[in-house]
Amino acid sequence: MARLLDNEALERSSVVANCAMNRERRLSGSNGYGRELGIDVAELIRGRLSQGAESFAWLDLCCGTGTALLECAELVDDPRLRITGVDLVDFFAGPPHPAVDFVTASVTSWTPPRSYDLVTCVHGLHYVGDKLDALARAASWLTADGLLVANLDLASVVSEQGDSGRRRLTKALRTAGFDYDARRRRIRCEGRQQVRLPFRYLGADDQAGPNYTGQPAVNSYYSDTASA
């Protein structure tokens, strides 16, 4: 097994600290949130608000500079919209917008003060140690009709034997309420879920090398508690 790091050591890793994957990503365009998530975030929010929703809360994990969040706030321009961006690095774009709050924190330990109508994570899970726990926690933060969408590479979720165990992992995720698109490497969850997956996190390998994006990423190792 590779040398494994805990969350604290991983967050000091040069692979995570120097990650530029999502730093300047915009809301739309060839490299934007719409293309990566498969949804038009601004239109989704406008649609919900036009139907009479009292409010709409969007949480973006691993938000980078938060450029896309500020763009969305300007486009929607509705006092009922609240946007929160969380990132490990305290380097956010400006000028500030009254609808947008930025939080400097680790997604593995941060706990939100509310539930959200939309939770997203654009390529951020590639650099998170316990990816499955991050997904489980995010699913529990949704409103009853909320939506979670994130990029997830199952090849980076590795068993203690060193293989991916992709079929069992996909089945466990679907049983827990997630839908996984293997071709686009995208995971979704609709409505708040209390998720319990049959895997125990062992640690992360920051020397796994490039993933499908071409950028160095982190492999996360798990033991299978169901077969223990």
Side-chain angles (χ1 to χ4, degrees):
M1 187 184 296
R3 176 185 64 93
L4 301 184
L5 305 177
D6 61 20
N7 285 331
E8 184 177 349
L10 179 65
E11 289 167 4
R12 295 195 302 267
S13 163
S14 60
V15 171
V16 175
N18 295 332
C19 171
M21 173 64 73
N22 204 30
R23 298 309 304 167
E24 303 292 341
R25 195 180 302 276
R26 305 187 75 87
L27 192 63
S28 59
S30 61
N31 195 36
Y33 273 47
R35 179 181 178 87
E36 299 302 328
L37 297 175
I39 58 173
D40 186 324
V41 174
E43 282 304 306
L44 185 155
I45 295 170
R46 285 195 191 104
R48 191 75 66 85
L49 292 175
S50 70
Q51 294 170 8
E54 293 183 0
S55 63
F56 191 100
W58 172 25
L59 170 64
D60 189 41
L61 302 172
C62 307
C63 69
T65 61
T67 299
L69 282 60
L70 294 167
E71 287 181 353
C72 184
E74 291 288 346
L75 282 171
V76 175
D77 191 25
D78 191 303
R80 293 173 292 172
L81 174 62
R82 296 302 313 170
I83 303 175
T84 302
V86 178
D87 199 85
L88 191 62
V89 179
D90 183 12
F91 186 72
F92 301 113
H97 190 284
V100 182
D101 295 312
F102 290 118
V103 179
T104 304
S106 167
V107 300
T108 62
S109 57
W110 179 72
T111 300
R114 61 173 301 163
S115 55
Y116 296 90
D117 302 287
L118 176 65
V119 178
T120 58
C121 187
V122 180
H123 292 297
L125 290 175
H126 306 325
Y127 308 96
V128 172
D130 194 347
K131 306 179 199 306
L132 300 184
D133 183 64
L135 282 170
R137 296 175 76 237
S140 75
W141 301 337
L142 291 171
T143 58
D145 59 351
L147 173 65
L148 164 64
V149 189
N151 302 111
L152 176 66
D153 182 14
L154 290 190
S156 68
V157 181
V158 184
S159 76
E160 56 188 329
Q161 289 77 33
D163 58 73
S164 67
R166 190 172 305 181
R167 183 174 299 178
R168 169 157 171 69
L169 176 57
T170 302
K171 181 180 179 180
L173 287 167
R174 287 178 175 157
T175 299
F178 294 96
D179 179 54
Y180 184 68
D181 184 333
R183 185 170 70 87
R184 295 181 175 86
R185 298 179 179 86
R186 188 185 296 150
I187 193 163
R188 292 170 60 104
C189 176
E190 297 187 22
R192 183 188 301 114
Q193 304 287 338
Q194 296 301 324
V195 176
R196 295 181 66 86
L197 294 168
F199 306 102
R200 181 174 65 87
Y201 179 59
L202 302 174
D205 175 18
D206 67 339
Q207 301 300 309
N211 67 0
Y212 72 96
T213 67
Q215 298 293 323
V218 170
N219 278 356
S220 303
Y221 281 73
Y222 294 83
S223 62
D224 188 333
T225 57
S227 62

